Amino acid sequence: MAATILGITSRQRKKHRGRDKRSSCSPQRVSSSVCLSTGPGAGQEVQTENVTVAEGGVAEITCRLHQYDGSIVVIQNPARQTLFFNGTRALKDERFQLEEFSPRRVRIRLSDARLEDEGGYFCQLYTEDTHHQIATLTVLVAPENPVVEVREQAVEGGEVELSCLVPRSRPAATLRWYRDRKELKGVSSAQENGKVWSVASTVRFRVDRKDDGGIVICEAQNQALPSGHSKQTQYVLDVQYSPTARIHASQAVVREGDTLVLTCAVTGNPRPNQIRWNRGNESLPERAEAVGETLTLPGLVSADNGTYTCETSNKHGHARALYVLVVYDPGAVVEAQTSVPYAIVGGILALLVFLIICVLVGMVWCSVRQKGSYLTHEASGLDEQGEAREAFLNGSDGHKRKEEFFI
């Protein structure tokens, strides 16, 4: 029967082309529609709408009917295989389900949409003339989580190159790089593989030891993902660098009889796995116990004094740390503490004596400076010869004698 119907469609298609001019239906802006304008069932109309769905999602394909009089309705897939004939399943694909068959519309539901499902779905209405409308199904492919790889091992002071790959997406995914919440500029390329795209991006930047353990993010987006969503992959930077070493003591002041534990804190990538302890040009005390990062010195004596070192290395360099050990005698410490006040008192007394001597010297100088007399004179016609006092006494009678003594 389906073959007969298709034959009718083929025979009468030319007939319909001649009747297009007599159609009284108005065009639709969004959906496609066809009106039947002659013969039985004149004025019947079928409308369809295009559908877009993400791969694996659910799509609904709807044929809207207007002035439907019970004529035959057939739904076909892009391969022109009949899915439903007047509400009866014709193709055994359980992913297609007839959700509604009424005088107003026919609605089918497609689950787990696949790329091969993409294409035009035919809504055919059989009356005296056979007409159809096509609902185009578009299947998008969301990107998977990007694959991030490093080209070669990153080393302090050098550059690292990272690549990000999304092997399958439709449309082609947009790739972005982020580091410390800042976008990095990458170089992207895309290659079409059938209906899907393979997209790759690379980024380069300089690294230091502080970048070890940092996070770099590659983000992929396209229209198949919900608005505001993306697929991300975080890459933890592995930056290799030369080692450092630092010695920590279990206590600040050590006395005879104490137990001292020295810890050599090392960093480096790769992390150094061997630590060597030494004491200058001398060997370690017999009581010393060196185990990995720690050196234990029990029952300290003054003979243990010296400069202790821990050394380590990796393939990028060498590091050494120093610790000077001075073992204090408790008796010597007490003696030193009691001698401090006497030294302070002696210094104060010496300062007072110096100040007294300075005062006495100043008083003697002032007393010598103030002894003797000073003359002031006012005279006219004085000779420039002789002493100032004689010139004043031998002056003219019209001048008064004036003499002042300052003691």
Side-chain angles (χ1 to χ4, degrees):
M1 184 173 184
T4 304
I5 293 173
L6 291 177
I8 293 172
T9 302
S10 180
R11 287 196 307 269
Q12 296 186 353
R13 189 170 297 164
K14 292 181 180 179
K15 248 171 116 179
H16 172 66
R17 288 191 191 125
R19 297 176 181 177
D20 282 347
K21 295 181 181 179
R22 298 195 298 272
S23 176
S24 60
C25 296
S26 59
Q28 303 295 318
R29 291 182 300 172
V30 177
S31 59
S32 300
S33 65
V34 168
C35 295
L36 309 180
S37 56
T38 61
Q44 294 186 86
E45 181 183 358
V46 59
Q47 293 179 329
T48 61
E49 294 180 356
N50 296 332
V51 180
T52 300
V53 63
E55 185 180 41
V58 177
E60 287 191 349
I61 301 172
T62 302
C63 299
R64 300 183 184 278
L65 307 175
H66 298 276
Q67 300 183 18
Y68 178 64
D69 63 356
S71 301
I72 296 174
V73 178
V74 176
I75 308 297
Q76 293 182 326
N77 64 13
R80 301 307 298 266
Q81 296 172 321
T82 300
L83 297 175
F84 294 95
F85 181 87
N86 257 15
T88 302
R89 178 184 295 277
L91 184 67
K92 293 182 178 181
D93 188 342
E94 297 299 326
R95 296 181 302 124
F96 291 92
Q97 296 292 328
L98 182 63
E99 295 290 307
E100 181 181 354
F101 186 86
S102 68
R104 291 194 173 186
R105 62 183 174 182
V106 178
R107 181 165 55 92
I108 64 174
R109 176 186 175 93
L110 168 62
S111 301
D112 188 22
R114 304 167 186 170
L115 278 175
E116 53 265 31
D117 297 326
E118 188 175 77
Y121 285 77
F122 295 79
C123 293
Q124 299 187 104
L125 184 61
Y126 291 94
T127 58
E128 193 174 281
D129 286 333
T130 302
H131 298 279
H132 68 264
Q133 277 299 311
I134 299 176
T136 302
L137 175 66
T138 302
V139 179
L140 305 181
V141 178
E144 300 176 354
N145 288 331
V147 178
V148 180
E149 295 179 345
V150 62
R151 182 175 180 180
E152 58 185 24
Q153 178 63 56
V155 180
E156 176 185 23
E159 285 191 337
V160 63
E161 180 176 324
L162 300 178
S163 64
C164 179
L165 175 65
V166 173
R168 192 169 177 273
S169 63
R170 188 185 191 212
T174 300
L175 301 183
R176 293 185 177 89
W177 293 94
Y178 295 94
R179 180 187 179 199
D180 297 332
R181 299 183 180 180
K182 295 181 180 179
E183 185 172 354
L184 302 176
K185 185 178 180 180
V187 179
S188 298
S189 60
Q191 181 178 354
E192 189 173 8
N193 299 320
K195 291 185 176 182
V196 298
W197 290 83
S198 174
V199 184
S201 178
T202 59
V203 66
R204 292 176 62 92
F205 52 90
R206 188 168 295 276
V207 291
D208 203 346
R209 65 177 58 203
K210 61 181 176 57
D211 298 316
D212 185 43
I215 303 296
V216 178
I217 298 174
C218 180
E219 179 185 81
Q221 286 181 322
N222 76 353
Q223 293 91 322
L225 294 171
S227 178
H229 288 69
S230 64
K231 293 293 184 72
Q232 294 184 346
T233 296
Q234 293 186 349
Y235 180 82
V236 181
L237 290 173
D238 178 23
V239 181
Q240 295 191 352
Y241 54 92
S242 59
T244 63
R246 186 176 180 181
I247 296 178
H248 301 282
S250 58
Q251 56 196 74
V253 178
V254 290
R255 298 176 176 84
E256 286 190 351
D258 289 349
T259 296
L260 178 65
V261 178
L262 300 179
T263 302
C264 185
V266 298
T267 63
N269 188 14
R271 183 175 176 80
N273 53 18
Q274 291 186 352
I275 296 176
R276 299 173 296 278
W277 289 94
N278 299 292
R279 183 175 63 158
N281 296 326
E282 304 178 64
S283 60
L284 293 173
E286 294 182 359
R287 304 178 314 282
E289 299 177 3
V291 180
E293 297 181 352
T294 61
L295 175 65
T296 304
L297 300 169
L300 290 172
V301 294
S302 59
D304 297 331
N305 291 344
T307 301
Y308 291 78
T309 63
C310 71
E311 300 181 36
T312 189
S313 63
N314 65 11
K315 65 181 182 180
H316 298 292
H318 176 85
R320 183 176 69 166
L322 305 177
Y323 176 81
V324 178
L325 173 61
V326 178
V327 179
Y328 292 96
D329 182 354
V333 173
V334 172
E335 182 179 352
Q337 290 176 347
T338 56
S339 64
V340 172
Y342 294 105
I344 296 175
V345 172
I348 294 175
L349 291 176
L351 180 60
L352 290 175
V353 171
F354 175 75
L355 292 176
I356 292 173
I357 293 174
C358 291
V359 171
L360 292 175
V361 171
M363 292 176 64
V364 172
W365 183 81
C366 290
S367 63
V368 173
R369 182 76 174 84
Q370 291 177 359
K371 287 183 179 181
S373 60
Y374 297 89
L375 302 177
T376 62
H377 49 85
E378 297 175 358
S380 61
L382 298 180
D383 292 331
E384 293 181 356
Q385 300 178 354
E387 297 181 356
R389 180 178 178 82
E390 292 178 355
F392 178 76
L393 296 176
N394 296 330
S396 61
D397 295 337
H399 296 278
K400 294 182 180 180
R401 181 181 180 200
K402 186 174 182 181
E403 186 174 15
E404 294 182 4
F405 294 89
F406 293 87
I407 300 176

